[in-house]
Structures are given as C-alpha cells and as structure tokens.
Amino acid sequence: MAWDPTVLKDWQIAEAAEGNIPTTEKYQEMMGLQKDEIIPYGKTPKIDFLKVIDRLKNKPDGKYIEVTAITPTPLGEGKSTTSIGIMEGLGKRGMNVGGALRQPSGGPTMNVKGTAAGGGNALLIPMTEFSLGLTGDINDIMNAHNLGMVALNARMQHEANYTDAELAKRGLKRLDIDPKNIEMGWIIDFAAQGLRNIIMGLGGKKDGFMMHSKFGIAVGSELMAILAVAKDLADMRERFKHIVVGYNKQGNPVTTGDLEVDGAMTAWMRNTINPTLCATVEGQPCFVHAGPFANIAIGQSSIIADRIGLKCFDYHVTESGFAADIGFEKFWNVKCRLSGLTPNVSILVATVRALKMHGGGPTVIPGRPLPDEYTKENLGLLEKGCENMVHLINMIKKSGIKPVVCINAFYTDTSAEHALVKRIAEQAGARAAVSQHWMSGGDGALDLADAVIDACKEKVDFKFLYPLEMPLRQRVEKIAKEVYGADGVDWAPLAQEKAERFESDPKYADFCTMMVKSHLSLSHEPTWKGVPKGWRLPIRDILVYGGAKFLCPMAGAISLMPGTSSDPAYRRIDVDVKTGKVSGLF
C-alpha cells in the first residue's frame, strides 16, 4: 500500500517502509545468490561480485535500461525517483527487476539538493544509511585520495630539504616536482567553497612544502571515476599506479606509482570494489555503487554493479547523472565502450514544470512562491520548452538505443499539458508515458513499465558517436555540435597546447573523452535554457586522469568544488536522542 507523500516527509515514508526491508536471506532468494556471495553489513550487505560473476558468467544478460533526463532546472526532474519508480512498476508487472544507483555525496545531501534516494513512494531504503555514508565507499575514496596528496607534499618537502645523496640513503630518487604544475588536490565530501584555493605548508622546514593547493568534492575524485569503470580489484590496482599528481620541471608527469603510494591507496579502497545492496520501498533490490557529479566526473553507477545486475535480473535499471547531454553522452560513449554492454532502452525523464522553464518561464527564487506559469496550465510556454526534450530524444536516437519519455507527473499538471508533451515526444520518435510513481509507487508507474517492456522487444542498432581513433579535438567538436548543438569549439591557448601534446603522444590514443560542462544548460552558460542557438563552446583547459584513462576538456567557468547555500539542508537534519533515528532528510 502506498503512503501519502502529500502528508508524510520522505524520511517518514522511509522509516515506515523499513520494517519490510529484505533480509539477507530474502535477497538471496530474490536474486538467486549463494550464501557466501553476500557480505553482511547491517541493513545494507555487500555483494562479492567476483564470486557472482564467475558463477553466472555463462548466464544470458537481462534487459539493460538506462535513465537520464532533460536539462535540469531548479524545479526538478526526478531522475532517481523515476529510476526507483520504474523498478517498482516493473515489479508490479511481475518482472524480475533490480537496478543500480549512485551513492549520494554529503555535499548535496547537506546542502539544497538533498539525498539521491528518490522521493514519495519511489524511494530507496534504508534512507538514513544510504544518505549518510552507507558502507563507507566515499570515506575510503577520501582516505586513499588524500593519502596520495600526503605522499606528494611530503616528497616535495624532503626533496627541498635533502641533497640527492641524502635522498639516496633513504632509497629515494629526486622526482624534481614542479610546484607550479600540480594536477592533484585534496578532497572533502562537503560543498566547501572556502577550500577551493588554499596555501598549505606554512611554517618551517618540518611543516610540509609551502605551495598553492586546492580542494575538490570527494565524488569528483579520479578514484571515484576508477571505481565506476574498474573491471575488478586487479584492474583498480593497475589504474591507481598511473594517477597523475603533477609534473616535474621538465614537463613529464609524476604519478602515484612514482611516489610509491599506489599500493597503500588500493589497500584503503579494497572493500569498495563490492557493491552495496539497498531496496525500494516496495522491495526490489538495488545496488549502490560509485558516485554522482556527471558534470565534473563520470557520474555513472559502476560497470561492476551493472554486470551483476544483468546476471541477476531480467530487467536491470541504471542511472546516469544530470541531463542526457552529459550523463547519457558519457554512458553511451565512455561507459558502454569500456563495459562492452549494449543497452536496450533509455528513459528520458521530463516534468511539465521544468519544460516550462525551458520555454522561457520566469526565474524561480528559493523561498518565494512559484510564479503562476508553473502552477497553472500554460500550453504555449510548455510547447516551446519541449524543444529541449526533442533535442535530447534526437541525441539518444543517434546511439541506436530506444528512447522512452517519462512524464514525471506533479499534482499541479493538467491532463492537457500531459497530452501535449506525450504527443510531441511521440512525434519525435519516442515512446512516452505519464507516470505517477511519486504519488502511487509501482501502481503509478504501470504505463511507464509497459512502454519500457514494449521498447525492450525491439532490436537495438547500437553505435558510438565517434571511433576511439578520432583525435581529441575532433571528438570534442563532434560532441559540441551533435550533442550540445554548438556551432563549433574555441580553444584557449593553454587548452590548445595541451590538446596538441595529447594528440601527438600515442600513450593517450585510447584515453576516453570526459567532458566537463555546466549541467544547467545544453551550452556552457547555465542561464541559457531550452535549445540555445548561435554559440560556440569555449574550452579553457584539459584535465588528465591517468589512472581512469580520461582526458577531460573543461568548458566555461565551472568549479570542481560546489558551494553551500545560505539555507542548507543541515539546518533541518537532527537525531532523536532516545531512538537514534534521523529526521529531516529529503
């Protein structure tokens, strides 16, 4: 029975639903797992993926369903909510279904976005554990990443203090690191804008090497990207050796392997390789593995979780971060290329309210009532905003994957507005369904489930946007024009110099292209809604992820560390000291 989300907060629904969370034995039964394939961890066990994959290696894969969205707005689209809702809807249709979601970052959970547990009756449980660290993967990433930075700064200090002969006595050779060309920074899993730029090492010779440094948010770490794409622990260990921490004074990369810290970093990360199990409020199993932030990272649930899910479920749902121009593009051209998996369906989530903003609706100011344009029927504004949806439908179709538009219903929508969005989506070549999963759970997602089942019956002619042999700048040009709708690309001198160097070095020939761009617009400019015309994409720099094997062109002015708002969620989160239960999560 669905709870009333118009009366109950998400954390209250989660608390009520947790009495029905599957036991370890129930997970074994539902997923066909052996007892030794589940690693106990309270309410959220981990899965020994090597054992599962080895045992099920010859079993055919289930259907592979990806969830993405139109360009985000402050009014919300509900991608995680829809991911959970479609699992519940397929479950109501009697299907063996599960999924994989990304672990939420403490930054948005304690800020304005909240956790990524979905909402209403399309919610992941246990919500408190899911929202506040789960089984410690992000904490392990922070420790491993920051250990790399400890090794870097300590080595720079020792090389400044010791002669070559003294270094040799300690079994060290001079790496000659250039303090003005450091690639790596520190990480913390909060939105701490005051740490974006720091000076460290103040004091004397024993207090570290004084230098400019920086912090990024933890889930944007290269280690999170490696967790998302690693095949197994051996692959992770090898990738950790090649993380670029900076460059020497001759311009050559200095890696974690050079610092001899890669083994210890892997030791911190050894347990993260196994996905964690959670469940929807209606009992469908869902893996949680890898993290968010597709605008500054890969933003995908892990290849490992998808591989297990496709063996355990007849329908496996996975989510990509932010809009289709970012999350789906990376799923399509990076994740699927590395995994070798072929998706059947991509669900494009849209809301009437968000589409109205893309149609030119007024700015939304937090704390003030929504303008009438968003709460009353306005078909003209909505039709104009559907251009953004159609652009992204056409982009998904280029991959050969079947698009299904989910019209994520709000109580302020009208039937005429739903009918308009559905008609425009179908005219663009997509299936479309109105879904009430937030209000009614699986019962509200039956039409969406039927559309997905129907789409999965069709053959997929899957193809990448570009071949891996294509040079970096040509790839970026193709993504800019065919995905974002730009007229072309403008390279800043620094980015141009780096691109030429990477293109001329065979070592980077098989590196994936991982764009870094605003998620709030198809363009680099967050305020340009809808489908901007007559613009060019500026690339100001290129980050190097040597272990993940990513080259990351940076478009526009985007920070790798978000900021905390004046009215963050942490003001309303608390604990009942008598029961230990957490309240206020959303």
Side-chain angles (χ1 to χ4, degrees):
M1 179 184 296
W3 290 268
D4 187 348
T6 65
V7 175
L8 299 176
K9 303 288 188 183
D10 287 347
W11 63 269
Q12 293 172 316
I13 293 174
E15 185 177 301
E18 281 178 25
N20 299 321
I21 195 168
T23 62
T24 298
E25 292 74 22
K26 184 63 175 176
Y27 279 129
Q28 284 179 233
E29 178 188 336
M30 287 190 295
M31 301 171 65
L33 298 172
Q34 304 294 324
K35 187 174 182 179
D36 67 346
E37 292 169 349
I38 295 186
I39 304 167
Y41 200 104
K43 300 176 184 177
T44 55
K46 280 179 168 280
I47 299 298
D48 191 324
F49 95 95
L50 280 178
K51 289 181 180 177
V52 175
I53 287 297
D54 184 62
R55 181 172 62 85
L56 300 178
K57 59 180 178 288
N58 295 321
K59 181 182 178 183
D61 286 348
K63 302 297 185 182
Y64 194 16
I65 303 158
E66 185 260 358
V67 179
T68 186
I70 63 169
T71 303
T73 73
L75 293 164
E77 293 67 55
K79 197 163 59 275
S80 297
T81 309
T82 299
S83 298
I84 297 163
I86 186 60
M87 291 182 224
E88 294 173 341
L90 288 167
K92 287 286 185 180
R93 287 298 191 215
M95 303 301 174
N96 171 27
V97 60
L101 295 181
R102 299 162 296 149
Q103 184 179 351
S105 164
T109 297
M110 292 294 159
N111 200 1
V112 293
K113 182 178 183 293
T115 183
N121 286 290
L123 194 66
L124 204 69
I125 55 174
M127 187 180 180
T128 296
E129 284 78 3
F130 175 73
S131 306
L132 302 180
L134 204 60
T135 50
D137 288 358
I138 293 177
N139 190 62
D140 290 341
I141 286 168
M142 283 194 289
N143 282 330
H145 179 113
N146 289 334
L147 180 62
M149 278 300 293
V150 167
L152 172 66
N153 188 256
R155 185 58 166 265
M156 294 172 72
Q157 174 193 4
H158 299 323
E159 291 192 9
N161 292 346
Y162 299 142
T163 64
D164 288 354
E166 286 294 322
L167 289 172
K169 288 180 182 178
R170 293 161 172 80
L172 302 174
K173 65 176 183 179
R174 186 172 297 278
L175 298 177
D176 204 23
I177 300 162
D178 183 354
K180 294 184 178 180
N181 199 359
I182 301 299
E183 188 83 19
M184 201 172 183
W186 305 84
I187 59 170
I188 185 173
D189 198 36
F190 294 116
Q193 61 267 45
L195 295 176
R196 286 173 181 159
N197 294 283
I198 64 170
I199 299 295
M200 59 175 293
L202 297 175
K205 290 178 64 176
K206 297 182 179 180
D207 297 318
F209 186 87
M210 190 173 76
M211 65 177 187
H212 172 268
S213 193
K214 59 189 176 182
F215 271 80
I217 195 158
V219 291
S221 167
E222 181 175 353
L223 277 66
M224 179 63 87
I226 290 173
L227 179 62
V229 302
K231 296 182 179 67
D232 50 35
L233 191 59
D235 185 29
M236 176 185 284
R237 174 69 181 85
E238 177 63 23
R239 288 175 180 273
F240 278 5
K241 185 191 305 182
H242 301 289
I243 295 172
V244 177
V245 298
Y247 296 86
N248 64 21
K249 292 175 182 175
Q250 292 73 48
N252 300 313
V254 177
T255 67
T256 44
D258 295 326
L259 294 172
E260 300 175 283
V261 71
D262 47 321
M265 291 168 67
T266 311
W268 274 111
M269 291 276 288
R270 71 195 187 283
N271 291 323
T272 67
I273 203 74
N274 295 310
T276 300
L277 259 181
C278 292
T280 74
V281 292
E282 296 188 2
Q284 288 80 27
C286 183
F287 297 111
V288 179
H289 207 215
F293 284 82
N295 59 341
I296 58 175
I298 187 170
Q300 309 286 328
S301 50
S302 73
I303 289 173
I304 284 172
D306 285 354
R307 288 178 63 200
I308 300 175
L310 288 166
K311 297 299 183 186
C312 291
F313 310 126
D314 294 334
Y315 289 85
H316 174 71
V317 180
T318 197
E319 180 190 357
S320 299
F322 289 125
D325 63 307
I326 299 178
F328 175 82
E329 189 277 313
K330 294 178 180 181
F331 173 81
W332 169 21
N333 292 303
V334 178
K335 185 178 178 182
C336 290
R337 196 188 302 267
L338 295 174
S339 71
L341 300 173
T342 301
N344 298 88
V345 173
S346 178
I347 298 175
L348 182 69
V349 183
T351 64
V352 166
R353 300 192 310 174
L355 288 170
K356 286 178 178 178
M357 179 169 281
H358 283 297
T363 301
V364 174
I365 301 174
R368 296 188 186 178
L370 284 178
D372 287 347
E373 287 86 346
Y374 300 117
T375 58
K376 296 180 180 178
E377 185 173 285
N378 190 322
L379 298 179
L381 202 61
L382 179 59
E383 185 169 12
K384 175 65 175 172
C386 283
E387 291 178 4
N388 181 272
M389 177 185 71
V390 170
H391 177 93
L392 295 171
I393 289 172
N394 290 334
M395 187 200 76
I396 292 169
K397 287 165 62 180
K398 290 180 182 180
S399 70
I401 302 171
K402 305 303 177 184
V404 174
V405 171
C406 169
I407 304 167
N408 183 17
F410 278 69
Y411 67 93
T412 54
D413 302 346
T414 69
S415 57
E417 288 174 330
H418 288 164
L420 176 64
V421 177
K422 190 171 188 292
R423 174 175 60 80
I424 293 173
E426 289 173 346
Q427 287 174 346
R431 290 173 173 82
V434 178
S435 187
Q436 304 273 359
H437 46 266
W438 181 84
M439 179 63 74
S440 304
D443 285 332
L446 294 177
D447 287 347
L448 177 61
D450 291 342
V452 167
I453 292 168
D454 190 47
C456 283
K457 295 174 182 176
E458 291 191 17
K459 184 179 179 181
V460 175
D461 182 21
F462 183 70
K463 50 189 175 295
F464 297 114
L465 180 65
Y466 53 83
L468 200 56
E469 297 75 28
M470 181 178 283
L472 173 64
R473 281 173 290 178
Q474 290 182 31
R475 294 189 204 176
V476 174
E477 186 92 11
K478 197 168 185 67
I479 293 170
K481 289 181 176 180
E482 297 196 28
V483 175
Y484 307 153
D487 291 340
V489 179
D490 294 326
W491 296 82
L494 174 63
Q496 177 81 11
E497 182 272 324
K498 286 187 175 182
E500 291 174 355
R501 175 157 48 88
F502 295 140
E503 288 174 352
S504 64
D505 190 338
K507 179 174 70 175
Y508 299 104
D510 63 344
F511 274 45
C512 294
T513 301
M514 187 66 59
M515 299 297 293
V516 179
K517 181 184 78 69
S518 171
H519 61 291
L520 297 173
S521 172
L522 288 172
S523 73
H524 60 287
E525 174 49 63
T527 61
W528 295 352
K529 303 302 180 185
V531 183
K533 304 293 184 185
W535 61 280
R536 296 177 65 82
L537 183 73
I539 302 296
R540 62 182 175 89
D541 199 358
I542 304 173
L543 301 179
V544 181
Y545 281 10
K549 301 184 79 173
F550 296 162
L551 294 177
C552 309
M554 301 183 71
I558 186 168
S559 173
L560 303 184
M561 169 60 84
T564 291
S565 78
S566 60
D567 187 24
Y570 61 68
R571 296 178 66 190
R572 290 166 287 281
I573 295 171
D574 209 336
V575 177
D576 184 327
V577 296
K578 294 181 180 179
T579 65
K581 292 180 178 179
V582 174
S583 62
L585 288 166
F586 72 103

